[in-house]
Amino acid sequence: MRAAALCFAGLLLSCASSSTGPRASPPASSSSAAPSAAAPADEAAAKEFVRKTNEDLLRLSIRSNTADWIKNTYITDDTERIAAAANDELLGYTAAAVKSAARWNGAKLDPGTARMLYLLRTGSSLAAPADPARRLELTTLAARLEGLYGKGKYCKAGKCRDLEELTDVIGKSRDPKELLDVWTGWHSIAREMRSLYARFVMLANEGAREIGFADSGAMWRAAYDMPPETFPLEMDRLWGQVKPLYDDLHCYVRARLQEKYGKELLPDDAPIPAHLLGNMWAQEWTKIYPLVEPYPDAAQLDVTSSMARMGLTPERMVQLGVGFFTSIGLPEVPRSFWVRSLFQKPRDRDVVCHASAWDIDAGEDVRLKMCIKIEEEDLVTIHHEVGHIYYDLAYRKLPFLFRAGANDAFHEAIGDTVALSVTPGYLRRLRLIPQEPRDEQGLIDVQLKEALDKVAFLPFGLLIDRWRWEVFSGKLQPERYNAAWWDLRRRYQGVSPPIERSEADFDPGAKYHVPANVPYSRYFLARILQFQFHRALCKTIGFHGPLHACTINNNVKAGERLWAMLSLGASKPWQDALEAMTGERQMDAGAMLEYFAPLQKWLEAQNRGRRCGF
């Protein structure tokens, strides 16, 4: 997938961090926070509890997020220790608050208070053990794992290259030997994580069990306003809707890659080797578009070359992203955004270049962290990241526990919803392409390029948490970590390792979200929701053409509807937020299928007579 905005800075609900205010006491022991355990569990006590908890969590999260920002933008052993200590305090407070809140289980409370207690229990991606030593060990491991990823380099013949440099090679080279070398080199950086991750899982599960969950995976699944056991079934339902489109795309891409690399490297009926798809994790395939382009130059889609000719800078690219949101009536970002964000990779230190949006103080201090390249992919990523920023700004006046998306997938979907309006017509107005496609061939070129991003990603978005749910539950033990990872990738993606892998490897750790402990189902669901949101906004502005041709650029009416939903934050179940936006209460991949209908019809015709499947 694209580098995505991640609310990983704070370990609780929002991307927030913390000032150096006084240390907060857990509610159970603070005379100014929750009532004592012996106090009656009445509604007034519950309201006072959530009031004090909101206040303390805001302060602690600001401290934690500030430390995490420094750790991510200046990676050293010292910054890792500082971040671990700040996160330890936040996690310790949260664990105590969750246990104190249990006294109101089953109590009749007003809807707002009841929802905040629910979010308190389910809103964290990491629960810490009550024992201080084990909690500090957990936060230290978390910082260490993310640091290993951020500092990762592949060194050969005296030359060391980081992920950004290796990504350039795997996206541009067409030499299978060179691609294999950089793929293997990057994946080798994760081997050191393997034993650390196994211990991390043990401690994280201990914390989850202490607050009433079977394991960390069950805690993650409980955050979707539905029974935890229902959530995987919902994911399967949505995957069932889109799998035929993915299978058609996979078959076509494999056939075209066979023309380039031969059937010896890509046999019929076999998975595609992961190093040949233009992305280090084979999660999105846009970089191989020149190899699979149906009608060369019919659509003239070389946006990257146009960006270079125009002399675009990283800051100007961010201005274009922000400008789309302001064109639909949303406010300007705070001035501090332009001062405190990181847009370019520093030359003097290691940073985590993985793109992310940050809400440091759950209020006005919003930032973007991204090592921007003058490429089309990064321009789209910027729209995605800025979507997070505007979601943060929309709900900033709500109580802290409500300062989050309706669910985490909503947060991921907003920027991509707007990016769907970055149509050829919009790009032409920016002078990034010379003209809009004028015939069916041009349309197919445009749609295939989009599908290499949006559709190719779907099974990858599904399988990462499938792997982690089994790890957290204990069904998958450390001695089969890598084998199970590739079993899932073959089953869902039709992608295989380019060389034999063993349990000395830890290939899941080569993907940022695993060592950073970022739940991943959100990205799969966001790919579905963005088309559903786009369809609703297009109806709002009275658009009656094909869905793929609609843009909401410069339409304030669309902005008003979007802002109204964003402003709800997490104050309502996601079903209510979805209904406010779309009039529907169920996630539906039908809008994605409607959007790509011309391409799917074309792919079916192209694949006739081919041996598809994997």
Side-chain angles (χ1 to χ4, degrees), residues 5-294:
L6 307 173
C7 291
F8 63 80
L11 293 172
L12 195 68
L13 285 164
S14 61
C15 294
S17 282
S18 172
S19 66
T20 55
R23 184 181 182 93
S25 301
S29 61
S30 172
S31 60
S32 60
S36 67
D42 59 17
E43 187 170 5
K47 286 183 176 181
E48 173 58 19
F49 175 87
V50 298
R51 184 201 65 76
K52 183 63 166 61
T53 300
N54 274 305
E55 178 183 286
D56 288 343
L57 285 175
L58 174 59
R59 182 170 64 253
L60 291 171
S61 69
I62 293 172
R63 180 179 302 144
S64 173
N65 288 343
T66 302
D68 270 337
W69 174 267
I70 296 169
K71 179 197 70 177
N72 275 264
T73 58
Y74 205 112
I75 302 174
T76 69
D77 291 344
D78 288 339
T79 59
E80 287 179 8
R81 280 193 292 268
I82 292 168
N87 289 336
D88 173 70
E89 185 174 18
L90 175 60
L91 282 173
Y93 180 94
T94 303
V98 170
K99 290 173 184 175
S100 295
R103 75 192 69 179
W104 289 285
N105 289 348
K108 287 188 176 182
L109 303 171
D110 68 274
T113 300
R115 180 139 185 91
M116 280 190 266
L117 291 173
Y118 164 76
L119 293 170
L120 174 64
R121 185 169 184 261
T122 63
S124 177
S125 64
L126 185 62
D131 178 76
R134 296 171 77 80
R135 186 173 69 239
L136 182 58
E137 182 185 2
L138 176 64
T139 56
T140 301
L141 282 170
R144 176 65 176 152
L145 285 164
E146 193 172 358
L148 284 171
Y149 186 94
K151 292 185 289 190
K153 292 181 177 66
Y154 171 43
C155 299
K156 181 180 179 181
K159 179 182 179 182
C160 293
R161 290 178 289 179
D162 62 16
L163 179 59
E164 298 299 300
E165 296 168 298
L166 298 173
T167 296
D168 279 343
V169 176
I170 210 162
K172 296 174 182 177
S173 175
R174 303 298 182 237
D175 178 352
K177 292 183 179 179
E178 184 178 30
L179 293 171
L180 178 60
D181 179 60
V182 299
W183 187 95
T184 306
W186 175 252
H187 282 74
S188 69
I189 67 101
R191 289 176 177 170
E192 186 179 349
M193 300 178 189
R194 187 185 179 93
S195 60
L196 302 176
Y197 188 75
R199 178 63 176 169
F200 173 87
V201 168
M202 182 182 301
L203 293 169
N205 277 342
E206 184 178 321
R209 285 192 293 271
E210 287 181 8
I211 60 173
F213 295 101
D215 55 64
S216 290
M219 183 177 73
W220 290 3
R221 295 190 298 274
Y224 286 93
D225 292 300
M226 63 177 69
E229 63 274 12
T230 302
F231 182 65
L233 302 178
E234 181 71 355
M235 298 278 282
D236 287 340
R237 179 184 67 81
L238 294 167
W239 172 236
Q241 285 185 272
V242 296
K243 185 178 184 299
L245 175 57
Y246 177 80
D247 289 345
D248 287 336
L249 180 66
H250 183 282
C251 187
Y252 171 80
V253 167
R254 182 176 59 197
R256 293 300 304 269
L257 291 179
Q258 285 175 333
E259 297 173 12
K260 171 66 178 177
Y261 297 112
K263 288 193 176 184
E264 184 177 345
L265 193 55
L266 286 116
D268 288 328
D269 302 332
I272 300 173
H275 66 312
L276 300 180
L277 288 163
N279 177 273
M280 189 61 77
W281 310 278
Q283 64 181 46
E284 291 156 341
W285 307 345
T286 51
K287 291 298 180 68
I288 63 163
Y289 176 73
L291 297 179
V292 301
E293 184 179 15

Side-chain angles (χ1 to χ4, degrees), residues 454-494:
K454 305 290 187 182
V455 179
F457 171 78
L458 291 168
F460 188 80
L462 192 72
L463 69 87
I464 288 187
D465 280 353
R466 292 294 165 100
W467 181 83
R468 284 191 289 194
W469 292 344
E470 293 198 352
V471 169
F472 286 134
S473 72
K475 183 178 179 181
L476 175 57
Q477 291 295 307
E479 57 266 23
R480 288 201 71 254
Y481 274 175
N482 224 46
W485 172 256
W486 285 108
D487 286 347
L488 287 168
R489 297 200 64 181
R490 290 185 186 94
R491 173 186 169 190
Y492 283 104
Q493 277 189 291

